[in-house]
């Protein structure tokens, strides 16, 4: 870039929220003094025929264009930077790593209200507490049970209760509180900006068992320095207790803790546990917040008023005044990867952020991702293990059901139907899993378990319903489905993987008098309906639950006694190389759910391949052996973590456009410097070729070295953007893709 230096001028280089890979230079607004301006402030700028809210990325004396062509910014929205240096750093890092425009990264990091340029006013969060009169008041009559309950709660809380704590108490506490206020028994006060050091525990913590103690000591010793701890322990082994202890120490040091949880894991149960334990303001981020609440929580995290920040994926961009610790619970969980826009991994960003701040990060899971396991093996992460369940609970009995030659009704075997009946009869709850992630039907022989394979490469064919043909997801070759099994000659070839709706219908036919509920994305689209369904399920009201991975974690079904995985073959033989790992994780996670101390549970896994090693390890609950087996497979095939991937996706309403664009994009690679070090797979049509009226295709890039891949991408993307065909499709780049479809 030609620099035009003029010492009299202050120029701001801003990132605009638009799909552009460059920043833009502006002169300061007329009334603005140069020394008032700093990176991280929002500024309104003229852009084309529009006005945009941009973020100042740099303040400089050099313009990238001729001074005469510089435009003047219109006005600043902030008096001090909204984004601190640390978040600016994180956004720049994410922009580079994910090859995503910086302005759009800033936009994704900010809550909607702030992104839209709304003014920043952090309302101090307030607390409710008893007045002198309230403390001395007579007990209320029994019919005023709401008021009595609230009074009791306030009596127990020495420092009063915040609105968030009261939300846990009851849904409409506000009405009750107003009536207490009218009597002069309660008052509303500003919360202390920062709780005094040391005074953060509300309830006494558990005494730790030896394994927990070791983990907590290791983390404690490492505070104030960067380290990644991989906390591996089955469900119920006491990981959360380790988090709580570590957080307590961080709070005592006057620092903040950031806790990331999976989308569905943010259950009221977990929040209540945090609120019961800690007497400090918390900022919670989840999908149920409205824009105002979200912005308020963001600002409370920024000022340091909120001492614990808990949230799903996007909370990794929450600001922190005094970062002390980051925790990623269920680190293997897919919901940490954003699947559109800025396709970031919140877990990976958490590690990057911890390193930048020189603080520890804890990755916890019963079934750590293979990436994390390999990092632990290579000593980059420190492995902490909790081998035993903390609370009393017995291990469930695990069975494989061999489906070969069995009668199946929409995926339900006779044995399974019989078991369901038994358990429900005895008052138990039954949970049936369909593994829908990366769903791609393939052709399977019901008599011997043979799976249609590509003749050209080592991959399973995908059955495309629309065309009725088998297609290889890797090399793109196609053929007519076989009529007979090449192994045993049987004509009973079926697509595996069935829909949840059809299985639900079959269940209702078999158990007309039972309470059956289906919980998946489709059945819970309405806002709040997922929460309602889960509450009903957790209350024990529903006897048979049918669901997807959504149900595998974070929930406590008190009566659950039977868990069944309906279609494990679909996980074992999917075209997505990650599906086996997910299948195994699912089995391990769900088997932790069945049964209680006084009633051991049962786990049933349906399969055409009962001899499969992966199922055998899962059956023995041996995650170490299982992950070694999977890692070996990945190594042989050179899949991650033994290589690095980027996936270029394209879709269009016109059938040929995506393939045309991807082919031209692939052609641009060939004369690239790094071309020899990066392998191109495809382009191929997506396994689910048509979705929402659009045709989809993809091109996979694979490299043994991360640096080579990224170097290639940096040179390649600007060239792709020049292609005419790129404007005829919707395309996106996914770094470290988790879902190959
Ligand atoms: P995880 O997060 O691994 O699923 P939790 O921390 O939720 O495990 O612990 C499971 C159960 O055991 C919880 O009810 C918790 O209160 C209890 N628990 C955890 N640690 C201890 C301990 N050291 N002593 C007694 N109970 C414990
Ligand atoms: Zn066969
Ligand atoms: Zn092939």
């Amino acid at each position: 870039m030609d620099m035009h230096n003029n010492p009299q001028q202050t120029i701001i280089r801003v990132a605009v929220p638009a799909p552009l890979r460059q920043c833009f230079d502006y002169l300061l607004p007329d009334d603005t003094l140069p020394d008032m301006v700093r990176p991280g402030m929002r500024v309104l700028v003229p852009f084309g025929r529009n006005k945009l809210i941009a973020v100042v990325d740099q303040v400089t004396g050099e313009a990238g264009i001729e001074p005469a062509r510089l435009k003047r910014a219109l006005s600043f929205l902030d008096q001090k930077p909204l984004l601190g240096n640390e978040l600016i750093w994180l956004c720049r890092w994410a922009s580079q790593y994910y090859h995503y425009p910086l302005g759009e990264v800033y936009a994704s990091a900010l809550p909607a209200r702030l992104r839209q340029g709304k003014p920043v006013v952090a309302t101090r969060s307030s607390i409710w507490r008893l007045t002198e009169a309230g403390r001395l008041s007579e007990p209320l009559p029994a019919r005023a049970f709401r008021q009595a309950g609230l009074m009791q709660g306030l009596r127990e809380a020495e420092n009063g209760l915040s609105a968030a704590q009261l939300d846990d108490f009851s849904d409409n506490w506000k009405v009750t509180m107003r009536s207490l206020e009218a009597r002069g028994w309660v008052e509303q006060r500003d919360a202390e900006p920062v709780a005094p050091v040391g005074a953060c525990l509300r309830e006494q913590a558990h005494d730790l068992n030896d394994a927990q103690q070791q983990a907590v000591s290791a983390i404690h010793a490492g505070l104030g320095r960067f380290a990644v701890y991989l906390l591996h322990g089955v469900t119920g082994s006491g990981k959360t207790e380790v988090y709580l202890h570590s957080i307590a120490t961080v709070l005592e040091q006057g620092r903040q803790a950031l806790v990331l949880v999976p989308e569905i894991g943010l259950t009221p149960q977990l929040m209540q546990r945090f609120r019961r334990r800690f007497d400090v303001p918390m900022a919670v981020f989840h999908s149920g917040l409205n824009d105002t609440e979200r912005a308020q929580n963001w600002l409370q995290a920024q000022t340091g008023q909120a001492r614990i920040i808990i949230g799903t994926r996007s909370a990794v961009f929450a600001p922190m005044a005094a970062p002390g610790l980051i925790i990623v619970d269920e680190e293997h969980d897919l919901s940490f990867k954003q699947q559109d826009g800025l396709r970031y991994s919140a877990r990976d960003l958490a590690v990057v952020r911890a390193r930048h701040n020189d603080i520890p990060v804890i990755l916890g899971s019963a079934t750590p991702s293979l990436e994390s396991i390999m990092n632990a093996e290579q000593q980059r992460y420190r492995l902490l293990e909790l081998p035993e369940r903390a609370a009393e609970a017995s291990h469930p009995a695990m069975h494989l059901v061999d489906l070969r030659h069995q009668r199946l009704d929409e995926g339900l075997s006779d044995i399974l139907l019989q078991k369901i009946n038994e358990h429900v009869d005895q008052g138990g709850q039954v949970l049936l899993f369909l593994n829908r992630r990366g769903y791609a039907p393939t052709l399977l022989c019901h008599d011997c378990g043979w799976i249609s394979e590509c003749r050209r490469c080592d991959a399973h064919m995908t059955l495309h319903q629309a065309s009725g043909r088998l297609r290889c997801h890797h090399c793109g070759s196609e053929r007519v489905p076989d009529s007979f099994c090449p192994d045993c000659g049987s004509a009973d070839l079926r697509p595996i993987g069935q829909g949840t709706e059809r299985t639900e219908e079959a269940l209702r036919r078999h158990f007309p008098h039972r309470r059956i509920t289906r919980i998946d994305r489709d059945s819970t689209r309405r806002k709040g309906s997922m929460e309602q369904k889960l509450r009903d399920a957790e209350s024990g009201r529903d006897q048979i639950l049918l669901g997807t991975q959504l149900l595998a974690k974070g929930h406590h079904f008190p009566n659950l006694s039977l868990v069944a995985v309906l279609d494990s073959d679909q996980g074992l033989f999917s075209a997505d190389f990650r599906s086996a790992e997910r299948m195994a994780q699912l089995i391990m996670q769900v088997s932790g759910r069945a049964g209680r101390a006084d009633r051991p549970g049962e786990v049933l896994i349906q399969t055409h391949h009962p001899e499969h090693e992966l199922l055998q390890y899962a059956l023995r609950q041996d995650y170490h052996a299982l992950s070694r087996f999977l890692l070996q497979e990945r190594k042989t095939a050179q899949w991650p973590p033994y290589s690095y991937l980027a996936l270029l996706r394209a879709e269009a309403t016109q059938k040929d456009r995506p393939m045309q664009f991807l082919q031209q994009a692939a052609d641009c690679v060939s004369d690239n410097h790094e071309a020899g070090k990066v392998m191109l797979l495809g382009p191929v049509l997506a396994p689910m070729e048509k979705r929402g009226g659009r045709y989809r295709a993809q091109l996979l890039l694979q490299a043994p070295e991360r640096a080579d891949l990224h170097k290639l991408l940096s040179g390649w993307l600007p060239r792709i953007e020049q292609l005419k065909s790129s404007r005829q499709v919707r395309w996106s780049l996914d770094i470290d893709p988790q879902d190959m479809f």
Side-chain angles (χ1 to χ4, degrees):
M1 179 167 7
D2 261 358
M3 288 298 170
H4 303 268
N5 202 342
N6 180 347
Q8 271 98 65
Q9 254 171 4
T10 300
I11 284 154
I12 48 173
R13 189 154 296 156
V14 307
V16 293
L20 298 162
R21 281 174 208 284
Q22 76 197 87
C23 286
F24 295 88
D25 290 349
Y26 288 89
L27 296 168
L28 294 186
D30 278 329
D31 54 352
T32 309
L33 297 173
D35 54 358
M36 289 165 60
V37 179
R38 265 166 304 162
M41 289 180 166
R42 294 171 302 167
V43 59
L44 190 67
V45 296
F47 196 82
R49 264 181 261 156
N50 301 319
K51 293 175 191 170
L52 291 180
I53 295 166
V55 173
V56 178
D57 189 62
Q58 270 182 61
V59 183
T60 163
E62 295 173 339
I65 57 172
E66 283 169 47
R69 289 177 51 213
L70 280 173
K71 285 194 201 155
R72 205 166 275 288
L74 299 170
S75 60
F76 277 88
L77 281 74
D78 303 308
Q79 265 144 28
K80 51 183 209 227
L82 184 61
L83 288 153
N85 285 338
E86 190 228 344
L87 276 188
I88 293 180
W89 181 90
L90 186 68
C91 288
R92 282 188 188 148
W93 192 94
S95 166
Q96 280 202 349
Y97 185 79
Y98 294 109
H99 300 268
Y100 203 70
L102 182 60
E104 300 207 315
V105 177
Y106 282 135
S108 349
L110 287 171
R113 275 186 74 84
L114 302 178
R115 183 164 72 232
Q116 292 153 4
K118 299 276 169 27
V120 178
V121 266
T123 55
R124 279 277 210 80
S125 71
S126 61
I127 54 141
W128 290 90
R129 63 175 200 187
L130 293 183
T131 58
E132 191 60 27
R135 266 194 292 280
L136 298 174
S137 66
E138 296 288 314
L140 286 157
R143 71 195 143 70
F145 64 95
R146 285 216 177 79
Q147 298 187 12
L150 214 46
M151 289 293 284
Q152 185 58 30
L154 290 168
R155 261 196 199 100
E156 284 165 15
E158 227 167 276
N159 298 326
L161 292 174
S162 67
Q165 287 167 327
L166 287 160
D167 284 342
D168 292 343
F169 227 85
S170 95
D171 284 339
N172 42 19
W173 57 270
K174 281 182 188 145
V175 182
T176 318
M177 192 67 88
R178 291 291 166 212
S179 61
L180 292 176
E181 193 181 21
R183 288 169 175 240
W185 288 354
V186 298
E187 61 183 358
Q188 196 172 5
R189 282 293 203 88
D190 271 358
E192 291 289 320
V194 169
V197 167
C200 55
L201 279 191
R202 193 188 287 285
E203 84 177 350
Q204 196 51 43
H206 285 296
D207 288 332
L208 298 176
N209 63 34
D210 286 349
Q212 284 174 317
Q213 187 58 57
Q214 274 180 25
V216 169
S217 305
I219 295 162
H220 192 127
L223 288 178
R225 258 178 292 137
F226 170 65
V228 187
Y229 299 98
L230 181 59
L231 183 63
H232 178 207
V234 296
T235 310
S237 61
K239 295 184 295 296
T240 310
E241 200 55 42
V242 170
Y243 305 152
L244 295 173
H245 274 255
S246 310
I247 291 171
T249 313
V250 168
L251 294 179
E252 277 163 24
Q253 297 176 346
R255 293 177 168 269
Q256 290 167 295
L258 170 64
V259 184
L260 302 179
V261 295
E263 228 156 309
I264 197 62
L266 192 72
T267 58
Q269 288 163 16
L270 181 78
M271 286 314 302
Q272 279 171 16
R273 207 160 151 194
F274 270 73
R275 292 224 169 89
R276 267 204 315 274
R277 181 67 56 90
F278 296 116
D279 193 11
V280 301
M282 297 185 200
V284 182
F285 294 93
H286 58 81
S287 54
L289 298 182
N290 65 34
D291 285 351
T292 313
E293 292 167 322
R294 190 174 290 275
Q296 283 303 331
N297 289 353
W298 198 88
L299 293 168
Q300 283 171 15
Q302 189 194 44
T303 57
Q305 190 189 341
R307 310 289 308 287
I308 302 175
I309 301 149
I310 305 187
T312 47
R313 182 174 62 228
S314 65
V316 75
F317 288 108
M320 284 194 275
L325 174 67
I326 305 180
I327 293 168
V328 184
D329 188 30
E330 310 281 0
E331 66 92 28
H332 66 278
D333 197 281
L334 223 90
S335 69
F336 287 123
K337 182 77 158 66
Q338 167 107 337
Q339 304 285 7
D340 53 26
L342 171 64
R343 290 173 160 78
Y344 64 97
S345 153
R347 177 200 58 203
D348 295 350
L349 283 183
V351 172
V352 164
R353 200 172 170 187
R355 188 175 54 210
H356 182 69
N357 286 301
D358 216 10
I359 57 172
V361 53
I362 308 174
L363 308 180
S365 175
T367 54
S369 63
L370 294 181
E371 279 81 358
S372 294
I373 291 203
M374 191 165 96
N375 277 319
E377 274 175 13
Q378 297 176 343
Q379 318 277 317
R380 277 197 292 267
Y381 294 179
R382 169 130 185 233
L383 184 63
L384 304 171
E385 301 222 57
L386 304 179
E388 309 279 319
R389 291 201 194 191
E392 203 44 40
S394 56
H395 286 287
M398 312 272 299
H399 316 279
L400 291 180
V401 179
D402 185 350
L403 292 181
R404 283 173 296 190
H405 308 290
Q406 301 273 342
R407 197 172 51 174
L408 286 180
D409 187 1
E410 302 298 347
L412 305 164
S413 65
D414 288 346
I415 304 172
L416 176 59
L417 288 169
Q418 196 186 322
K419 281 280 182 201
I420 296 175
N421 209 19
E422 272 172 33
H423 280 263
V424 176
D425 262 351
Q426 292 166 15
Q429 223 176 359
V430 173
L431 179 48
L432 305 176
F433 273 101
L434 279 165
N435 178 41
R436 307 294 296 168
R437 185 63 85 165
Y439 172 69
T442 182
L443 203 61
L444 171 138
C445 170
H446 187 53
D447 289 328
C448 76
W450 167 88
I451 308 258
S452 59
E453 276 182 352
C454 176
R455 291 175 189 145
R456 294 224 311 247
C457 61
D458 185 18
H460 299 290
M461 302 291 271
T462 300
L463 187 64
H464 283 251
Q465 244 98 25
S467 61
R469 290 166 73 85
L470 287 171
R471 190 177 287 148
C472 174
H473 173 54
H474 290 247
C475 67
S477 73
E478 261 192 34
R479 62 184 159 94
V480 179
D482 312 66
S483 314
F484 298 97
C485 170
D487 279 7
C488 75
S490 162
D492 194 0
L493 303 182
R494 311 174 173 186
I496 52 170
Q498 63 275 327
T500 37
E501 295 91 347
R502 284 169 58 184
T503 308
E504 183 187 3
E505 278 167 29
L507 279 172
R508 292 194 190 283
R509 251 189 290 114
H510 287 279
F511 305 102
H513 305 298
R514 302 300 187 186
R515 283 188 302 274
I516 300 171
T517 192
R518 173 164 69 92
I519 304 183
D520 56 21
R521 292 251 180 260
D522 293 331
S523 71
T524 56
R525 277 199 202 291
R526 212 162 34 81
K527 202 174 170 185
S529 70
M530 164 89 74
E531 289 73 13
Q532 186 55 47
K533 283 200 167 207
L534 285 170
R535 266 201 296 278
D536 287 348
E538 290 184 345
S539 73
R541 197 193 75 111
D542 300 312
Q543 295 163 299
I544 304 175
L545 315 173
L546 177 64
T548 52
Q549 280 89 332
L550 281 179
L551 287 181
K553 62 215 167 188
H555 305 292
H556 183 60
F557 305 113
N559 280 330
L560 189 63
S561 62
L562 173 66
V563 172
V565 178
L566 298 188
D567 56 353
S568 58
D569 296 333
Q570 208 262 304
L572 294 176
F573 304 105
S574 162
D576 186 339
F577 70 92
R578 281 186 213 276
S579 71
E581 174 186 1
R582 302 227 174 92
M583 184 71 237
Q585 287 166 344
L586 178 71
I587 295 174
M588 303 283 295
Q589 299 264 347
V590 297
S591 42
R593 307 245 160 254
R596 294 185 313 217
D598 56 334
R599 188 205 296 164
E602 279 192 277
V603 176
L604 243 61
I605 301 163
Q606 299 198 124
T607 176
H608 286 85
H609 291 262
E611 75 295 341
H612 199 287
E613 263 178 282
L614 187 137
L615 293 179
Q616 290 296 329
Y617 295 135
L619 211 61
R620 299 206 303 265
Q621 300 277 298
D622 188 347
Y623 196 70
H624 284 282
L626 202 153
S627 49
R628 260 198 304 279
F629 168 78
L630 286 172
L631 274 172
Q632 192 54 48
E633 263 191 359
R634 297 273 187 95
K635 191 171 187 177
T636 311
Q638 280 297 296
W639 286 123
Y642 299 93
S643 67
Y644 299 89
L645 301 181
L647 187 62
L648 183 66
R649 294 191 181 86
E651 54 173 56
T653 46
Q654 271 161 297
K655 197 170 174 17
D656 302 327
R657 293 263 159 91
M659 284 296 270
Q660 268 168 16
F661 161 65
L662 292 175
Q663 191 54 57
Q664 288 180 10
D667 294 342
C668 293
V669 171
S670 53
D671 43 346
N672 190 294
H673 190 65
E674 270 72 36
K677 298 171 188 155
V678 178
M679 198 161 64
L680 261 59
L681 298 163
V684 294
L685 292 167
M688 198 192 286
E689 184 188 334
K690 205 172 167 194
R691 195 160 76 187
R694 295 175 159 270
Y695 294 89
R696 303 155 2 110
Q698 59 197 41
L699 173 66
L700 187 64
L701 289 84
Q702 184 181 30
E705 298 297 331
R706 200 197 291 271
D708 292 331
L709 179 64
H710 283 265
K711 221 151 113 208
L712 180 136
L713 292 172
S714 303
W716 186 48
L717 287 171
R719 301 183 59 186
I720 292 181
E721 281 164 352
Q722 298 299 312
L723 291 174
K724 220 172 97 195
S725 57
S726 77
R727 286 183 285 280
Q728 297 166 338
V729 297
R730 260 195 223 160
W731 64 271
S732 63
L733 182 72
D734 193 349
I735 306 291
D736 306 328
Q738 293 296 309
D739 241 334
M740 302 297 275
F741 304 113

